[in-house]
Amino acid sequence: MLVSEINTLTEEISSLVEKYGAGRQSLLPILQEIQIRYGHISDVAQQEIARLLDIHPVEVYGVTTFYSFLNTTKRAKYNIRLCKTISCDLTNKDGIARALERELGIKFGEISSDEKYSLAYVSCLGMCDQGPAMLINNQVYSKLTPRKVVEILDQIKGR
Amino acid sequence: MPILNKAIVFKQENCGDGLQKALNMKPIDILFAVRESGLKGRGGAGFPAGSKWMLASAAQSDKKYVICNADEGEPGTFKDRLLLTEFTEQVFNGMTICGYAIGAHHGFVYLRGEYSYMIDEMQATLQQLHNSGRLGKNILGSGFDFDIEIRLGSGAYVCGEESALIESLEGNRGEPRNRPPYPANTGYMGFPTVVNNVETLATVPILINKGVDWFTSIGTEKSRGTKLISVSGDVDRPGVYEIPYGTTIMEIIEMAGARDVKAVQVGGASGICIPEAELHRNISFEDVPTGGSIIVFNNSRDMLKILENFMEFFTEESCGQCTPCRIGNKKLLDGVFMIERGECSVQYLRELISLGETMQVASKCGLGQSSPNSFITIMKHFGDEILSKY
Ligand SMILES: Cc1cc2nc3c(=O)[nH]c(=O)nc-3n(C[C@H](O)[C@H](O)[C@H](O)COP(=O)(O)O)c2cc1C
Ligand code: SF4
Ligand code: FES
């Protein structure tokens, strides 16, 4: 990272610490905001958060790696997460999985070479009455069909 | 997203002004009303809400907290999503009433990260409540102050367990604590804390508005009131249904348009499998209690594949803190794979079931204690079918 980038990051974390308070209980909301802005929580970010909250960096790492929605390595611009739990499974999530892989040319667990898309599975999203369901970043899509998946991806590709 | 059948408790016309009514009462009278109503926790464990509130009220402390558990991670459960979108105000009012009753001035909603798309509307409702004097300082002129903050989870099922939830709020890994002490005594930051499910809290203002007698006239002796049930799987009309306690599973799935039923999973992955022959059993604390998930399987379904899905869920969601759960769930999942490959002897299957029974007593928290339920009940009812197929 460039020094200027680190400075911006530090400023950003400082303002989050100001917003949520300098206590340990602010850790998760701060990590969540950094995750949204940068798509991941880098080593530098972890160190800066630890310094400003006055806790050990290992603690920050331990918390970050515990939660499946937080990651320490860079992710794609669009993280596509398909629910693989039972009700979506019964409504043919496998068909949706194949459609996603075909359209994006990547497999589950992979990131596209332009770092635009990643494909992963996720546990029940609470949309079981409208399965199959998936998240793209924080947005939920339900009642998926292979055709609908293509339409959704087309919309994103246009952006 | 409406309730699909005829609602009983969760109707807008029942809501009235429960908050105003509650603030006109003395805190102690609210505690008694909630206790006399027989309202039990809707999140799964079914602890009497009145007793929990009384414990927190009796605890001596200058700070107390109310937490609304909106982590709703149990597979097949989505009824809190309905309440958080359609009865948002009642959920918040329930928290405020709880705060008033126990002497807390701050509340948290712990909303699962998967529901983060709902947060803007929830914040807007909080703002409206503030603007109309129903949150903040001196609520409705009563002299009582209460604030609510929404916090997001980050994709961990175990954080629905109340002590893990508190760890998470405190900025830690969501690992369950030893209990006792219970949160009512030693909760958020060590202060007395009531943790209640969304549905439990949303029921309170309605119960106060309509009265205890009205509420106790619904349901059964030990299960007062109604339960929201999320129905999914092989049905024509999946969605949320409101039933008085004591309603049979058959009645519920018929409402949802189930046909050719093989089995029903009640209570999600951590619940139990009920075969077709036992559908006359009813939803209540006396018979089959549940947090509110019903998943229907028709005769085309392979119960072993269903079990595999559940066991995969638990191996991924176990926090790994204690051995019975971390290793046990892995062994049960491996057992499922062995059966699929035709390599599991009946002798070994018996050992796995007894391992499951050990996990039920030896695991540290409810996740590990309930994770073998589906293995045990599916093998009990469909073991022969599975072993003769594979
Ligand atoms: C693994 C696990 C997950 C849980 N998830 C939830 C949940 O998502 N929502 C909930 O209200 N209770 C959940 N519970 C139950 C809570 O620990 C607690 O009993 C409940 O929030 C108390 O509220 P109630 O008495 O109003 O039901 C879970 C328990 C366990 C063991
Ligand atoms: S039972 Fe499972 S989830 Fe609960 S503390 Fe033990 S390892 Fe963690
Ligand atoms: S099982 Fe997929 S959203 Fe619940």
Side-chain angles (χ1 to χ4, degrees), chain B residues 93-354:
Chain B
N93 287 345
M95 295 175 71
T96 308
I97 294 172
C98 178
Y100 177 67
I102 69 165
H105 300 288
H106 198 86
F108 291 103
V109 178
Y110 189 88
L111 182 70
R112 64 186 313 217
E114 292 82 346
Y115 286 173
S116 62
Y117 64 93
M118 290 167 27
I119 202 169
D120 288 346
E121 286 201 19
M122 289 173 66
Q123 297 283 18
T125 305
L126 283 182
Q127 193 53 50
Q128 277 166 19
L129 289 172
H130 268 281
N131 295 347
S132 55
R134 298 171 157 268
L135 265 181
K137 295 252 174 273
N138 189 17
I139 296 175
L140 297 173
S142 64
F144 173 65
D145 306 337
F146 194 72
D147 258 309
I148 294 175
E149 199 179 319
I150 303 173
R151 286 292 188 86
L152 282 171
S154 266
Y157 165 71
V158 70
C159 286
E161 195 280 337
E162 57 187 16
S163 65
L165 189 160
I166 290 170
E167 285 289 325
S168 179
L169 278 180
E170 291 179 357
N172 301 323
R173 293 163 67 90
E175 291 173 345
R177 298 174 177 170
N178 280 320
R179 293 141 45 93
Y182 293 95
N185 221 297
T186 312
Y188 179 67
M189 307 302 279
F191 296 107
T193 304
V194 164
V195 183
N196 270 138
N197 174 254
V198 173
E199 185 180 351
T200 316
L201 289 164
T203 304
V204 169
I206 300 175
L207 153 69
I208 297 284
N209 182 51
K210 297 284 286 182
V212 170
D213 291 341
W214 170 80
F215 190 76
T216 52
S217 71
I218 309 164
T220 68
E221 181 70 31
K222 292 200 173 96
S223 317
R224 301 297 192 190
T226 63
K227 186 77 193 78
L228 293 182
I229 305 283
S230 323
V231 185
S232 64
D234 295 320
V235 293
D236 293 339
R237 291 177 295 280
V240 178
Y241 294 80
E242 184 181 354
I243 53 130
Y245 276 108
T247 305
T248 65
I249 298 166
M250 179 67 100
E251 285 174 84
I252 299 168
I253 64 173
E254 274 179 354
M255 272 191 282
R259 277 174 281 119
D260 190 28
V261 178
K262 180 175 194 172
V264 171
Q265 182 78 12
V266 181
S270 65
I272 57 171
C273 177
I274 306 264
E276 199 263 338
E278 291 180 22
L279 294 179
H280 57 272
R281 295 181 64 182
N282 70 78
I283 300 297
S284 63
F285 294 103
E286 293 95 321
D287 191 2
V288 186
T290 172
S293 158
I294 283 192
I295 307 166
V296 180
F297 308 119
N298 68 22
N299 276 305
S300 74
R301 302 297 178 184
D302 180 341
M303 298 309 290
L304 190 64
K305 290 288 172 196
I306 290 162
L307 181 56
E308 180 188 321
N309 192 287
F310 291 154
M311 295 323 299
E312 243 173 28
F313 175 79
F314 287 120
T315 45
E316 280 168 26
E317 298 297 338
S318 164
C319 83
Q321 214 190 151
C322 69
T323 319
C325 172
R326 186 184 63 241
I327 307 289
N329 279 309
K330 179 127 202 335
K331 286 226 157 201
L332 294 184
L333 178 61
D334 284 345
V336 170
F337 291 142
M338 282 173 72
I339 298 173
E340 282 174 9
R341 294 194 304 265
E343 288 169 5
C344 181
S345 64
V346 173
Q347 172 67 24
Y348 187 63
L349 184 57
R350 283 204 198 109
E351 279 174 34
L352 288 176
I353 287 170
S354 115

Side-chain angles (χ1 to χ4, degrees), chain A residues 17-89:
Chain A
V17 169
E18 215 161 282
K19 176 172 164 192
Y20 291 105
R24 169 88 192 225
Q25 62 276 25
S26 307
L27 180 54
L28 204 51
I30 292 173
L31 291 174
Q32 285 163 343
E33 291 216 16
I34 296 294
Q35 170 76 40
I36 288 176
R37 281 184 217 177
Y38 293 88
H40 75 301
I41 299 148
S42 64
D43 289 352
V44 181
Q46 290 173 49
Q47 277 159 20
E48 285 303 280
I49 293 170
R51 187 174 62 81
L52 291 165
L53 290 183
D54 197 20
I55 53 182
H56 199 282
V58 163
E59 293 283 317
V60 178
Y61 179 78
V63 170
T64 308
T65 51
F66 182 84
Y67 295 94
S68 65
F69 285 9
L70 304 175
N71 13 63
T72 54
T73 50
K74 201 159 170 50
R75 289 293 154 100
K77 184 165 178 210
Y78 296 105
N79 290 296
I80 303 173
R81 285 179 287 204
L82 178 66
C83 171
K84 64 167 176 187
T85 309
I86 190 70
S87 302
C88 291
D89 191 47

Side-chain angles (χ1 to χ4, degrees), chain B residues 4-50:
Chain B
L4 293 183
N5 64 335
K6 200 162 175 295
I8 302 164
V9 168
F10 291 107
K11 292 196 280 199
Q12 295 299 346
E13 69 208 61
N14 284 345
C15 297
D17 199 346
L19 178 62
Q20 176 73 69
K21 273 198 184 161
L23 293 174
N24 289 341
M25 294 163 73
K26 289 208 277 298
I28 183 87
D29 292 330
I30 295 176
L31 295 175
F32 276 115
V34 174
R35 192 170 74 175
E36 273 162 37
S37 75
L39 175 65
K40 290 183 180 168
R42 298 322 197 211
F47 193 80

